């Protein structure tokens, strides 16, 4: 599937952007599916200086690198500023986003249209696996903070990191 640049073909690139605080099985499912459709998938972790996350950006990146290593074509980086600038700098023509439910659609459509208007970058929506349609990083953090079982919702390294973070208080 991968088209090496050495064959003279440009690599097909896409980006999966997000906060990933932390990455869940829902995110991972979208990244895995994108990695089958594109030669290189860039996972772009947004730096939000006005919002303190549970995990620092470097910790989030490390967790994502660990759980996507098996795909072999995923690159993980942070960014701040506009996503379209991240795309422009790396020659990325497509954003891949998961849609969990109709409620996601309004805002996602606005962002897709804004990004397309700003730079021509396209957004492709992938329907979330129904097993994860209720899943968000916020809910995972809340349930984990109260000792609920989230082992089926996040990769094992993320579970371990969450347990460690909550043990530290
Ligand atoms: O995981 P999240 O928090 O839902 O991800 C939101 C994200 C990072 C995809 C979105 O906020 C974003 O693209 N931010 C970058 C700033 C930007 O480009 N804003 C204009 C969007 S139209």
């Amino acid at each position: 599937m991968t088209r090496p640049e050495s064959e003279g073909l440009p690599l097909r690139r896409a980006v999966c952007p997000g906060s990933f605080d932390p990455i869940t099985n829902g995110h991972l499912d979208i990244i895995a599916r994108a990695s089958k459709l594109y030669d290189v998938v860039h996972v772009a972790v947004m730096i939000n200086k006005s919002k303190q996350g549970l995990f620092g950006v470097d910790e989030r990146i490390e967790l994502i690198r660990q759980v996507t290593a098996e795909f072999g074509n995923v690159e993980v980086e942070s960014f701040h500023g506009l996503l379209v600038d991240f795309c422009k700098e790396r020659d990325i023509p497509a954003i891949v986003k998961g849609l969990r439910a109709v409620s996601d659609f309004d805002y996602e459509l606005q962002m897709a249209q804004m990004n397309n208007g700003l730079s021509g970058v396209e957004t492709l929506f992938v329907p979330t696996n129904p097993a994860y349609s209720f899943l968000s990083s916020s809910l995972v953090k809340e349930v984990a903070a109260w000792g609920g079982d989230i082992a089926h919702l996040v990769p094992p390294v993320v579970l371990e990191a969450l347990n460690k973070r909550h043990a530290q208080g």
Side-chain angles (χ1 to χ4, degrees):
M1 181 88 180
T2 300
R3 302 187 308 167
E5 271 175 320
S6 58
E7 287 177 16
L9 296 166
L11 293 176
R12 291 169 303 193
R13 295 174 185 275
V15 61
C16 293
S19 303
F20 302 106
D21 184 36
I23 188 168
T24 67
N25 285 347
H27 295 126
L28 191 55
D29 177 58
I30 299 297
I31 296 166
R33 288 156 70 189
S35 82
K36 290 186 190 146
L37 298 171
Y38 290 91
D39 297 319
V40 182
V41 172
H42 297 257
V43 176
V45 181
M46 181 179 66
I47 299 171
N48 185 347
K49 288 188 176 134
S50 62
K51 195 172 157 197
Q52 169 91 32
L54 181 64
F55 295 99
V57 169
D58 289 344
E59 291 174 293
R60 296 179 212 175
I61 288 177
E62 183 50 36
L63 289 170
I64 301 168
R65 283 201 177 125
Q66 286 182 45
V67 301
T68 58
E70 66 182 287
F71 305 138
N73 63 343
V74 173
E75 295 181 7
V76 192
E77 289 175 79
S78 63
F79 79 106
H80 74 106
L82 290 177
L83 180 60
V84 291
D85 289 336
F86 179 93
C87 293
K88 217 179 286 173
E89 284 156 19
R90 292 158 186 80
D91 230 356
I92 299 171
I95 299 166
V96 174
K97 289 274 192 85
L99 274 188
R100 290 170 295 192
V102 176
S103 50
D104 279 345
F105 186 70
D106 271 352
Y107 187 49
E108 291 295 344
L109 180 64
Q110 283 177 17
M111 286 199 285
Q113 289 171 329
M114 175 62 85
N115 285 330
N116 185 259
L118 285 171
S119 75
V121 69
E122 296 288 0
T123 298
L124 288 98
F125 294 119
V126 176
T128 294
N129 180 329
Y132 305 129
S133 61
F134 59 91
L135 189 52
S136 69
S137 297
S138 313
L139 276 185
V140 158
K141 286 184 282 191
E142 186 175 335
V143 174
W146 294 103
D149 181 10
I150 50 152
H152 55 304
L153 303 177
V154 293
V157 283
V158 174
L159 182 64
E160 200 183 308
L162 277 163
N163 288 340
K164 217 186 256 177
R165 189 55 42 103
H166 291 306
Q168 288 162 353

